[in-house]
Amino acid sequence: MVVFIGYISKPLWEEPVQQFVPSSLRDSISSTVDSVKENPEINYAIDTLNQQLNSIFTQLNNEPSESNDSKVDPPKLTAPKDQMFSIHNVELGESKAEVEKKIGKPKRTTENEYGVSWAAYHENYQNFIMVAYDEKNNVRGLYSNQDLIASSTGIKLGSSKQSVQEKLGNPESIMRKGLFNYKIDQNGEYEVFKLDHSYATIFYDKHENNTVTAVQIIDQDLEQNKNELYTESSQQLKEGFEYQLFDLTNASRVNHDLPILKWDDLVRETARDHSLDMAENQYFDHTNLQGQSPFDRMKEDNIRYVTAGENLAYGQFSSIFAHEGLMNSLGHRKNILRENYEFLGVGVAFNNESQPYYTENFYSDSPSL
């Protein structure tokens, strides 16, 4: 018997995901998927044994994995008292002590593009919220893509774009950064609204009738203190974007009743190397300049897989905008929500202008698809 290999690596180029960017810069996203199925003869048995050993060694280096087998009760949401929005009953200005009295300790804290950190709170990625604190441990930013959003106007997860516009008015078209005004491109995937003392970014799901799929609230001063479109690159920011994109992916999978992915340090290095290669050599493609596909690179790094896939994004200045853009593109969404994937590694690199390149490498080493 010969080994049958189903190989698909056709990049899916989509309309660019727009951020607060000059019209000359167009963001990009791309995805590809590969499936490998082998026969159940002796060669397959040997490969399967190797896969399982590799999985054991991989998991020893991973952070503890979590399961979403048990459902967690959603919180009872109340309309905010002093502001237009709250997330998980948390409002801007609250102290960290007040927040953690309500929802416990964070699972992870990572640097974000505002020069502060996102603290991620969840229970096996259920009731997922990210909170940004200032140096005094007061809430300056909030985000969630789950049913934790409450508003004095009635806006919530699943609200229509029309109802948002009716209640919040016209979205912003210009964002000032330092000495420059940047146009907020109206691509329909999100809108930015100026509230009394904050900016609300409302993300819409094109595949769910343009309904609200996530909300980010950023304190006005925190937003205006970010003087550049892109934050200067650093090791801390790179790692922050990587882990944030991983957490956002799992929160989205939980929304669709899918298993939680495990973090994989080995494939993270494969993803990092490709992001760095693209950033340094100024290209954007699944196939590198040596002609290697994502699957060639994974095999070269001794990562055994049965099924694998890759998502790429470039130019989005935060992990949140990158993730929401990928979810609005069908090929990338399929990778994020593919049921049989088990592992994910995310690698980020920055070019000389501090523009980030994101690579997500998914795979499964299980012999049963």
Side-chain angles (χ1 to χ4, degrees), residues 80 82-86 91 150-153 155 167-168 195-196:
D82 303 320
Q83 299 167 25
M84 188 171 292
F85 283 96
S86 66
E91 299 180 39
S151 170
S152 59
T153 64
I155 295 171
K167 292 168 182 175
L168 298 186
L195 308 180
D196 288 340

Side-chain angles (χ1 to χ4, degrees), residues 10-29:
K10 180 182 178 182
L12 301 175
W13 291 91
E14 304 281 343
E15 288 295 321
V17 178
Q18 302 299 317
Q19 313 301 329
F20 308 150
V21 296
S23 58
S24 61
L25 177 62
R26 311 296 290 183
D27 296 335
S28 299
I29 51 180

Side-chain angles (χ1 to χ4, degrees), residues 292 295-303:
Q292 291 179 310
F295 320 113
D296 295 328
R297 295 190 294 272
M298 291 176 68
K299 291 174 182 176
E300 185 176 69
D301 290 342
N302 296 315
I303 297 168

